[in-house]
Amino acid sequence: MASQQKDVGILAIDIYFPPTCVQQEELEAHDGASKGKYTIGLGQDCMAFCTELEDVISMSLTAVTSLLEKYGIDPTQIGRLEVGSETVIDKSKSIKTFLMQIFEEYGNTDIEGVDSTNACYGGTAALFNCVNWVESSSWDGRYGLVVCTDSAVYAEGPARPTGGAAAIAMLIGPNAPITFESKCRASHMSHAYDFYKPNLASEYPVVDGKLSQTCYLMALDSCYRRFCDRFEKLGGKPFSMSDADYFLFHSPYNKLVQKSFARLYFNDFLRNASSIEEVAKEKLAPFSALSGDESYQSRDLEKVSQQLAKHLYDTKVQSTTLLPKQVGNMYTASLYAAFASLIHNQHSSLVDKRVIMFSYGSGLTATMFSLQFRGGQHPFTLSNIATVMNVSEKLKSRLEVSPEKFVETLKLMEHRYGSKDFVTTKDTSLLSPGTFYLTEVDSMYRRYYAKKAANGTTGSGNIAACKNGSLGNGH
Ligand code: ACO
């Protein structure tokens, strides 16, 4: 049975990010950073953040119910649910079990899968688990569902502008409009202390920012080389950047994406790819003898390769950067938000195109893999995915708050992290109908959520995951 499922991949996607955001230009001035540091230096426009009403559980409840409703999926048709997240709310109980409230309502408790955690990589692990399940002999004919959900917040300091928040839900099955070239995958995993969360009393990570940048680029090089070798073995011809239409990267901030793409260009030069023009070869030749370490530190190499790759960046990367620049680092959801941006921007011209995805999680784990777009059948088409995600409207309807308000919110969240016995304001005026929100954490740390009803009133409180709204067809 293992090889019977054809074109296994992503059938449907929905994305949710909080309606509250802070402009990077304002944050930069507020933090006393030099003008342009966050917007040009990091390449970021805006950053979403959760208020006391939202967290990774509420965001994923919203994303999952929205996906089921908008694509008309019967909740009993889900056979596996995998969550990727690095935002710790409970050290034992998985986020997946909170999401089970949606399915229990419909009598479906027969759903495999739990949470996967390793920094920003957990979503990719969850995705691979679901795809592997559908391709395997254990598959029972139902859909897989993947959720990537994170709230990225940092302590005061240089890392703070690289936060963000979102949840993305992806439906997995055969005959998909987005398929995996499963044999073309390459990973690089090793031990590093670049970004980690050893302090369980705080939501904030410990970050060695400079090391994390080098680890990321080193993992990228290693994955790309392996990926090229694998492609060559399977395809019988060399692989270079010219063999893919789009390149998508885990995006902590846009400047690193620009550097990463330039790094692939330098790799193609080192591999003597025929697609690199003579004039570019001449400009890169002085750097060919640098050791790996030297090359990560060379500002000249960075500058020259970015200039040479710029025209390719504009066609192969630019349209993937909208959400990462507007929402910020969404940790596990970051790469898939880049993917959502590409579908949003290019859905009518993607059929038969190939995209290369680079997933990175500090600590560290990284994989490069390849996807292809196909036609699909309603409701699982690229144009319908773009319609359902409704990215422009979601971005347009956000409320930009002042840096002072943002800092005040983070202070409240610091105080609330890991605490019990509190209720939230329940002021849902900024939330769209259908959005879940936290109402209370009781004396036994149990969390309660409600759903803002379609008429704009609040739901009936407590878990109420789906009691206040229909979940689509079939019921
Ligand atoms: N105008 C334009 N550019 C400026 C300005 C200015 N006024 N001021 C500084 N810059 C540039 C710098 O030159 C630098 O660009 P470069 O890298 O091309 O040289 C950039 O802005 C950042 O400034 P730095 O001083 O180098 O870095 P900073 O100390 O502010 O920290 C960092 C940046 C390390 C990314 C920090 O925000 C951080 O630790 N973030 C979290 C870790 C992270 O995201 N790591 C990435 C991979 S791991 C992960 O995904 C979590």
Side-chain angles (χ1 to χ4, degrees), residues 413-432:
M413 306 292 262
E414 277 169 31
H415 175 69
R416 289 264 171 91
Y417 187 68
S419 69
K420 58 179 178 175
D421 247 340
F422 66 87
V423 292
T424 63
T425 61
K426 303 185 191 67
D427 173 7
T428 61
S429 52
L430 289 178
L431 304 180
S432 306

Side-chain angles (χ1 to χ4, degrees), residues 90-108:
D90 191 294
K91 283 175 268 176
S92 171
K93 183 172 162 59
S94 64
I95 296 171
K96 184 269 177 96
T97 58
F98 285 93
L99 295 176
M100 282 309 299
Q101 295 169 107
I102 297 167
F103 301 94
E104 280 173 64
E105 186 81 2
Y106 289 78
N108 184 8

Side-chain angles (χ1 to χ4, degrees), residues 126-142:
L127 179 60
F128 288 173
N129 285 346
C130 265
V131 170
N132 291 346
W133 176 67
V134 175
E135 285 179 342
S136 77
S137 58
S138 320
W139 187 52
D140 68 2
R142 293 185 294 164

Side-chain angles (χ1 to χ4, degrees), residues 34-37 40-42 120 154 158-159 162 195 207 209-210 212-213 216 250 252-253 255-256 259 299 302 329 331 360 362:
S34 56
K35 189 162 173 51
K37 180 168 181 193
I40 299 163
L42 295 175
C120 308
Y154 290 90
T162 61
F195 163 113
V207 196
K210 298 290 169 211
S212 75
Q213 293 165 325
Y216 181 108
H250 164 58
Y253 50 94
K255 179 63 93 53
L256 193 55
K259 290 185 188 187
R299 306 287 295 173
E302 209 173 83
N329 190 358
Y331 288 162
Y360 177 82
S362 291

Side-chain angles (χ1 to χ4, degrees), residues 38-228:
Y38 298 173
T39 48
I40 299 163
L42 295 175
Q44 290 301 105
D45 295 331
C46 199
M47 177 168 59
F49 63 95
C50 290
T51 65
E52 56 148 359
L53 287 180
E54 297 196 85
D55 60 23
V56 284
I57 295 165
S58 69
M59 289 195 294
S60 45
L61 284 165
T62 303
V64 169
T65 50
S66 174
L67 181 143
L68 297 175
E69 264 174 31
K70 290 182 182 148
Y71 293 90
I73 306 298
D74 182 333
T76 62
Q77 279 306 302
I78 302 296
R80 189 173 192 101
L81 171 56
E82 297 267 351
V83 177
S85 182
E86 62 160 288
T87 307
V88 180
I89 284 188
D90 191 294
K91 283 175 268 176
S92 171
K93 183 172 162 59
S94 64
I95 296 171
K96 184 269 177 96
T97 58
F98 285 93
L99 295 176
M100 282 309 299
Q101 295 169 107
I102 297 167
F103 301 94
E104 280 173 64
E105 186 81 2
Y106 289 78
N108 184 8
T109 54
D110 179 16
I111 303 183
E112 288 182 7
V114 288
D115 295 1
S116 295
T117 300
N118 189 95
C120 308
Y121 186 85
T124 299
L127 179 60
F128 288 173
N129 285 346
C130 265
V131 170
N132 291 346
W133 176 67
V134 175
E135 285 179 342
S136 77
S137 58
S138 320
W139 187 52
D140 68 2
R142 293 185 294 164
Y143 296 117
L145 188 55
V146 177
V147 182
C148 309
T149 181
D150 268 306
S151 163
V153 282
Y154 290 90
E156 223 170 285
R160 184 157 269 186
T162 61
I168 292 191
M170 294 180 274
L171 191 73
I172 308 300
N175 309 315
I178 303 153
T179 60
F180 281 74
E181 297 186 298
S182 287
K183 291 203 162 57
C184 280
R185 250 188 220 179
S187 292
H188 176 89
M189 306 209 172
S190 70
H191 169 56
Y193 274 127
D194 60 330
F195 163 113
Y196 46 112
K197 293 181 175 168
N199 180 359
L200 298 175
S202 167
E203 199 173 358
Y204 299 143
V206 174
V207 196
D208 185 337
K210 298 290 169 211
L211 179 65
S212 75
Q213 293 165 325
T214 309
C215 286
Y216 181 108
L217 294 174
M218 195 198 58
L220 176 71
D221 279 354
S222 174
C223 285
Y224 188 58
R225 283 186 212 125
R226 284 178 190 155
F227 183 92
C228 291

Side-chain angles (χ1 to χ4, degrees), residues 11 36 59 96 159 219 253 303 340 350 445:
L11 292 159
M59 289 195 294
K96 184 269 177 96
Y253 50 94
K303 210 164 128 201
L350 286 177
Y445 297 94

